Amino acid sequence: MATFSVKPSQRFRLPDWQTNSYLLSTNAERQRDASHQIRQEARILRHETNNQTIWDEHDNRTRLAERIDTVNRWKEMLDKCLTDLDAEIDTLTQMKELAEQNLQAKNLPMDVAIECLTLRESRRDIDFVRDPVETELRKEVEVIEATKKALQQKINQAFEQLCLLQEVQQQLNLDHRGKMETLEIDRGCLSLNIKAPNISLKINPARVPKGSTTLQQWDDFSQFNKNRAEAEIKSATELREAIALTIAETNNELEAQRVATEFAFRKRLQEIEKVYSELKWQEKNILEEIAELQEDIRRLEEDLRRKILNLKLVHTRLESRTYRPNVELCRDQAQYGLTDEIHQLEATIHALKQKLAQTQDALDALNKHLARLQADIACKANSMLLDTKCLDTRRKLTVPAEKFVPEVDTFNRTTNRTLSPLKTCHLELA
């Protein structure tokens, strides 16, 4: 006979079952309502965040574009500053080289002035005088030294200014490179979008990197570089004008001194030539006087010899008449005449000897003075030759080196051109 087995478990009551069904239904409604609420909130949040993200991305794109424009304007200003700076560096360098060339060109006038002073040291005796020519030559040396000092000072200033310009150029280049790199980075950021393959999440991208600056500091930095570049360019321009003025002034001063020195040379040469001509004329007269005096001495000596012969004749006559015999040895008129003739001849011979001695003394004095005169003439000729050589040497200041041909041989002291008869005499005497 079949049996009914009872399952050993808890049995619920019908109200419990109904309650459970009611609770499940009620919970389902409540969960659906909550889910609906969450879905609505999620949709609102999605729309709001999408809009916010779109506007944020748009605003940041605008900010990036504006920042790119700002940086690009600064880059263009720096480009202009660099262009002006490069041009100023080139111009100032050329002016500095011109000043150096002018400084180098002052070596020739200095060498010429020193050579002239050295040559004039060879003047002799009384001609070794501190004349206006030497004064002008020494003044010329002082002027050249002053011009070289002024030019060297400007060259040093130009070198220092070039260093400052290059320093500013380096700073501007650094700033310019920074602007270029910034433009490249910002333009790259502006070109990115959510579909770009190279976007990714980064670790703490909102951090403030070390060395960051404020916008004001960034603007002040570029403004300072720009202002400094403009100030240095202005200083360089003023320095260039000062260098050009110094070059012109030094050249004018040196040219004026050259003209003054050569005028002094020509004036001194005229003075020496005038004195030389006077001395040559005196020499000619003295030589003529010596010749006449020598002729007079010869005649005096002949007259003296004749007077001695006449005296011998009278002595012989008187001596012979002392041998007259006896009463014939009388003091007659012939005896008195011969005696008087002896006294007269002796007085004449004494006068002739005295005059001959005076004449010979005068001849000796003339010869001595002639020697002094000829020595002074030789000094004058030497001085004229030296000053002529100096003037010839100074032609280097006006004649190009490739066309310069000395007109006076430095070693042999001979001319390479036809000279006037007076100067030819100078050279022959020298």
Side-chain angles (χ1 to χ4, degrees):
M1 172 178 181
T3 62
F4 176 75
S5 63
V6 180
K7 186 177 179 181
S9 62
Q10 182 182 4
R11 286 181 179 271
F12 295 96
R13 294 179 303 159
L14 183 60
D16 293 334
W17 176 81
Q18 291 174 346
T19 300
N20 181 63
S21 297
Y22 175 76
L23 289 174
L24 287 174
S25 176
T26 302
N27 287 335
E29 289 292 338
R30 189 171 60 252
Q31 291 294 332
R32 285 197 306 273
D33 289 341
S35 176
H36 177 73
Q37 181 67 28
I38 291 172
R39 282 191 300 106
Q40 292 301 319
E41 291 176 356
R43 288 175 183 177
I44 292 171
L45 179 62
R46 185 166 54 82
H47 288 302
E48 288 178 351
T49 55
N50 283 340
N51 290 335
Q52 184 65 42
T53 301
I54 289 171
W55 278 109
D56 287 345
E57 199 272 340
H58 177 270
D59 290 342
N60 286 321
R61 287 181 66 86
T62 302
R63 292 188 185 99
L64 277 173
E66 291 175 352
R67 181 60 178 168
I68 289 171
D69 289 340
T70 302
V71 175
N72 191 57
R73 282 196 301 272
W74 269 112
K75 183 190 79 69
E76 290 174 354
M77 283 191 286
L78 293 178
D79 282 336
K80 183 179 182 303
C81 284
L82 281 171
T83 301
D84 295 342
L85 196 61
D86 291 339
E88 187 59 38
I89 288 175
D90 292 340
T91 307
L92 184 58
T93 301
Q94 293 174 0
M95 185 58 69
K96 176 175 171 288
E97 291 175 352
L98 181 61
E100 290 173 344
Q101 292 172 2
N102 274 267
L103 178 61
Q104 182 69 25
K106 299 300 181 288
N107 290 335
L108 178 59
M110 178 64 79
D111 292 342
V112 168
I114 292 176
E115 182 178 354
C116 290
L117 285 170
T118 304
L119 279 171
R120 299 187 93 244
E121 290 295 311
S122 299
R123 292 175 296 167
R124 299 195 295 264
D125 300 335
I126 193 62
D127 278 15
F128 194 65
V129 63
R130 185 180 292 274
D131 54 8
V133 175
E134 183 174 350
T135 302
E136 293 297 334
L137 281 173
R138 295 189 181 279
K139 184 179 177 182
E140 187 173 41
V141 171
E142 293 175 359
V143 169
I144 295 172
E145 289 176 347
T147 57
K148 291 179 72 174
K149 183 178 180 181
L151 287 172
Q152 186 62 57
Q153 182 180 3
K154 293 302 178 184
I155 290 171
N156 293 338
Q157 292 177 358
F159 176 77
E160 293 173 359
Q161 186 62 40
L162 282 172
C163 291
L164 292 175
L165 290 174
Q166 289 169 357
E167 180 183 346
V168 173
Q169 184 185 43
Q170 183 179 4
Q171 191 66 30
L172 285 179
N173 281 326
L174 181 63
D175 195 5
H176 186 268
R177 283 196 300 270
K179 298 290 187 292
M180 292 293 293
E181 293 176 6
T182 300
L183 285 174
E184 184 179 356
I185 292 172
D186 284 351
R187 284 169 179 166
C189 291
L190 186 62
S191 66
L192 291 175
N193 54 51
I194 59 175
K195 295 181 181 180
N198 55 343
I199 61 174
S200 63
L201 295 176
K202 309 295 181 181
I203 300 174
N204 190 19
R207 70 188 183 278
V208 179
K210 185 179 180 180
S212 297
T213 59
T214 64
L215 183 61
Q216 186 62 44
Q217 289 175 332
W218 173 85
D219 189 73
D220 290 343
F221 178 76
S222 296
Q223 188 66 46
F224 173 78
N225 289 336
K226 177 177 176 293
N227 292 341
R228 186 185 178 193
E230 291 174 348
E232 295 300 340
I233 289 174
K234 181 180 178 182
S235 298
T237 302
E238 294 174 352
L239 180 59
R240 282 193 293 107
E241 294 173 354
I243 292 174
L245 180 62
T246 300
I247 291 174
E249 288 178 347
T250 53
N251 287 340
N252 290 338
E253 289 175 3
L254 193 56
E255 177 63 18
Q257 185 57 45
R258 182 190 69 81
V259 171
T261 303
E262 292 184 1
F263 174 78
F265 262 115
R266 289 190 292 271
K267 184 177 179 181
R268 182 61 177 165
L269 269 174
Q270 289 178 352
E271 292 175 353
I272 297 175
E273 287 177 355
K274 182 178 179 181
V275 172
Y276 179 86
S277 299
E278 172 66 22
L279 292 178
K280 290 295 287 184
W281 183 79
Q282 293 292 346
E283 180 192 30
K284 175 178 173 294
N285 290 340
I286 287 178
L287 287 173
E288 291 176 355
E289 183 63 27
I290 287 175
E292 291 180 1
L293 196 57
Q294 287 174 340
E295 179 64 22
D296 287 345
I297 288 174
R298 184 185 64 79
R299 291 174 181 173
L300 282 173
E301 289 175 345
E302 289 180 358
D303 286 349
L304 183 59
R305 285 194 296 271
R306 283 198 298 270
K307 296 301 182 287
I308 291 173
L309 290 176
N310 288 333
L311 184 60
K312 289 179 180 180
L313 175 62
V314 174
H315 280 198
T316 303
R317 285 176 175 173
L318 282 174
E319 182 64 24
S320 297
R321 296 190 85 238
T322 60
Y323 294 103
R324 288 177 294 168
N326 302 322
V327 74
E328 295 300 327
L329 188 62
C330 69
R331 299 179 60 84
D332 53 13
Q333 293 298 324
Q335 184 73 19
Y336 287 115
L338 289 172
T339 302
D340 291 339
E341 186 178 3
I342 285 176
H343 295 313
Q344 184 64 38
L345 285 173
E346 288 177 348
T348 300
I349 290 172
H350 177 74
L352 288 174
K353 286 182 178 181
Q354 186 176 10
K355 186 57 65 179
L356 180 60
Q358 292 176 357
T359 306
Q360 287 175 341
D361 290 341
L363 179 62
D364 291 340
L366 283 175
N367 282 325
K368 290 179 181 179
H369 189 69
L370 177 63
R372 289 195 298 270
L373 200 62
Q374 289 175 339
D376 198 46
I377 289 172
C379 289
K380 298 295 183 291
N382 178 66
S383 298
M384 283 190 294
L385 181 64
L386 292 173
D387 284 353
T388 302
K389 172 57 185 171
C390 288
L391 279 176
D392 183 56
T393 301
R394 294 183 66 83
R395 288 176 54 244
K396 296 177 183 178
L397 303 177
T398 55
V399 178
E402 61 275 7
K403 296 182 179 180
F404 178 76
V405 178
E407 295 182 350
V408 178
D409 192 314
T410 305
F411 300 101
N412 297 326
R413 293 189 176 181
T414 58
T415 60
N416 295 328
R417 60 184 175 89
T418 304
L419 298 178
S420 64
L422 178 59
K423 292 186 178 180
T424 302
C425 291
H426 301 175
L427 297 173
E428 289 175 353
L429 183 58

